[in-house]
Amino acid sequence: MTEKKSDTLLVHGGRDRAVSRGAVNIPPFRASTVLFSSLDELEHPRPGQAYRYGRQGSPTSRALEELYARLEGAAGAVAVPSGLAAINVALSACLGAGDHMLMSWGTYAPGISYARQFLGRMGVEIELYDPRIGAAITDLLRPNTRVVYMESPSSVSFEVQDVEAIVSACRNPGNDHPPVTVFDNTWGTPLYCRPLALGVDIVVQAATKYVVGHADAMLGLVACTAATLPKVRHCARLQGLAASPDDCYMALRGIRTMGVRMARQFETACRLAAWLERRPEVSGVLFPALPSHPDHEVWRRQFSGGAGLFAFMLPASFTRAQVANFVDKLELFGIGYSWGAYESLLISEHLQRGRGDLDQFPGWLLRLHAGLEDADDLEADLEKGFQRLADRPA
Ligand SMILES: *Cc1c(COP(=O)(O)O)cnc(C)c1O
């Protein structure tokens, strides 16, 4: 049977009526203890009877995992309490003392901190690489390189990685112990980017963003090939990283509308990015969906849409007070971390340390998340902000 399209899966996936007893939604199964009818049943679980103790997941987490795995085209998925926990599980399942990992310097900064400060302390050598490296990653591969970690587009700076070139370099027939490739798909989500189809082994997703979509829960998902699933699931269990049934319920509720939310938010982002690019005050827009973006062609090959998240720059000639006067008084854009929910956000950003091109972006870097508001109203709010930018605050 051919798999349904993702908009159909979003509605029908992960909805076993036997589990929900006919209700449309699988409820949050809040449980630590799960009761058995006899010692025999306790000691000899039936095949597939995985619901045995709260820490090992619930029918609610199973439903979410099943749906997410189908969206990614994965053998299975594992739900964990945050996006950063998803990065942790994917990496710690594959790495040990004496191993080497290549990690894009465009990776979400707390992911780099986790790798360096935690895995580094456990004896893993972390080497950062240029996200635009492509096939030249071959020169960095060592016999003990066990993981090549990608995130595309990069957090903050929005470079797009040539995933196919990197995967084929890792799978070079001369390499009989190829590294595991891991890809953070939070920006594209499985609706717009399918890393496993490009040959990637493990996908991580900060479900906190578009899957939950309402800024009210933290969650991570790890989608795996058949070869990597058992060790990733085992590693989550070893670390006691079980997602809460209530958060899984919120994610299941949010994911049903992810298709329409993302389509609209991406469309608004495209419009605002193109408008910002024409503003005389703006010195650059970092958004791979813009034809002017240096990685636009790679992006078109690997993505069919994307998030409502991008960055733009203002020249260093603006003072901090002017930029604050622009941002602080916006009516519709909140100032806060995270993104992917229904509301618009605007924050100032900094490039992470340890990258090779720190001087590439002089001036102010602002990260914009387009929400579900009317695009005319968002544009008008920014327009007023640019008028404030022109007046020097007293
Ligand atoms: C937010 C984010 C994460 C971490 O997710 P949390 O749920 O906040 O831990 C990981 N990767 C990317 C790209 C993110 O934007």
Side-chain angles (χ1 to χ4, degrees):
M1 198 182 73
T2 56
E3 185 62 305
K4 297 276 189 294
K5 300 241 168 77
S6 45
D7 278 342
T8 306
L9 288 178
L10 286 174
V11 174
H12 289 274
R15 279 177 47 194
D16 183 340
R17 267 195 270 174
V19 175
S20 67
R21 299 217 174 175
V24 169
N25 296 304
I26 307 278
F29 279 81
R30 295 195 193 95
S32 48
T33 299
V34 176
L35 299 174
F36 302 89
S37 57
S38 65
L39 275 184
D40 206 42
E41 197 192 348
L42 175 83
E43 287 163 11
H44 307 287
R46 282 177 274 114
Q49 188 203 18
Y51 184 42
R52 296 176 58 77
Y53 181 50
R55 205 177 57 225
Q56 293 164 14
S58 63
T60 322
S61 64
R62 293 286 142 69
L64 176 65
E65 289 167 348
E66 181 206 306
L67 170 53
Y68 190 73
R70 284 176 74 185
L71 290 167
E72 288 282 7
V78 180
V80 290
S82 70
L84 189 56
I87 296 172
N88 163 6
V89 165
L91 295 184
S92 57
C94 302
L95 291 162
D99 291 342
H100 171 246
M101 169 167 72
L102 289 168
M103 189 173 224
S104 163
W105 73 47
T107 299
Y108 178 68
I112 296 181
S113 301
Y114 164 76
R116 287 183 152 172
Q117 294 172 38
F118 189 80
L119 295 175
R121 191 154 52 81
M122 301 295 161
V124 180
E125 190 185 343
I126 315 296
E127 185 180 349
L128 300 184
Y129 68 88
D130 182 338
R132 291 193 171 117
I133 197 166
I137 197 142
T138 306
D139 301 334
L140 300 183
L141 292 173
R142 304 182 196 167
N144 65 335
T145 306
R146 299 279 22 98
V147 169
V148 173
Y149 190 92
M150 294 169 263
E151 180 186 319
S152 183
S154 302
S155 278
V156 189
S157 48
F158 293 91
E159 295 95 351
V160 181
Q161 298 204 252
D162 188 339
V163 179
E164 285 150 305
I166 291 173
V167 166
S168 68
C170 292
R171 295 236 178 113
N172 182 334
N175 191 347
D176 43 56
H177 198 24
V180 172
T181 49
V182 181
F183 185 98
D184 185 327
N185 199 22
T186 301
W187 189 89
T189 80
L191 304 188
Y192 298 123
C193 177
R194 302 289 298 277
L196 297 175
L198 301 175
V200 164
D201 299 301
I202 300 177
V203 169
V204 300
Q205 172 72 229
T208 306
K209 312 286 167 54
Y210 281 106
V211 172
V212 168
H214 294 73
D216 49 7
M218 309 286 305
L219 204 72
L221 287 157
V222 191
C224 304
T225 55
T228 55
L229 181 63
K231 61 183 174 182
V232 168
R233 183 170 280 151
H234 186 60
C235 186
R237 300 275 187 274
L238 285 178
Q239 296 191 66
L241 288 170
S244 124
D246 288 281
D247 294 341
C248 291
Y249 176 81
M250 300 294 266
L252 276 168
R253 185 169 160 134
I255 204 170
R256 305 296 177 195
T257 57
M258 184 164 101
V260 283
R261 283 187 283 109
M262 283 197 80
R264 169 72 178 275
Q265 288 175 260
F266 180 64
E267 186 192 319
T268 300
C270 287
R271 172 172 155 184
L272 294 178
W275 180 78
L276 285 165
E277 200 174 34
R278 293 193 302 269
R279 296 289 313 189
E281 304 89 341
V282 171
S283 49
V285 179
L286 308 175
F287 189 44
L290 285 177
S292 59
H293 190 278
D295 303 326
H296 183 67
E297 286 312 314
V298 188
W299 177 79
R300 276 173 51 127
R301 228 173 47 232
Q302 294 176 356
F303 290 79
S304 56
L309 186 81
F310 67 90
F312 65 97
M313 293 174 284
L314 298 173
S317 52
F318 289 112
T319 64
R320 157 116 203 143
Q322 280 177 300
V323 175
N325 196 37
F326 171 91
V327 176
D328 294 354
K329 293 182 187 146
L330 290 168
E331 225 186 306
L332 303 176
F333 291 83
I335 303 170
Y337 290 110
S338 202
W339 47 277
Y342 58 84
E343 89 288 21
S344 294
L345 299 168
L346 189 65
I347 59 170
S348 60
E349 272 286 10
H350 304 280
L351 292 168
Q352 34 255 25
R353 283 176 225 282
R355 45 190 301 145
D357 61 347
L358 259 181
D359 299 330
Q360 207 184 314
F361 304 114
W364 306 96
L365 187 59
L366 298 174
R367 192 188 73 177
L368 186 152
H369 178 250
L372 288 170
E373 299 92 336
D374 187 282
D376 289 339
D377 288 337
L378 292 176
E379 197 179 286
D381 199 20
L382 292 170
E383 169 83 53
K384 279 195 231 152
F386 282 117
Q387 284 161 18
R388 284 192 299 277
L389 198 54
D391 346 312
R392 274 192 177 269

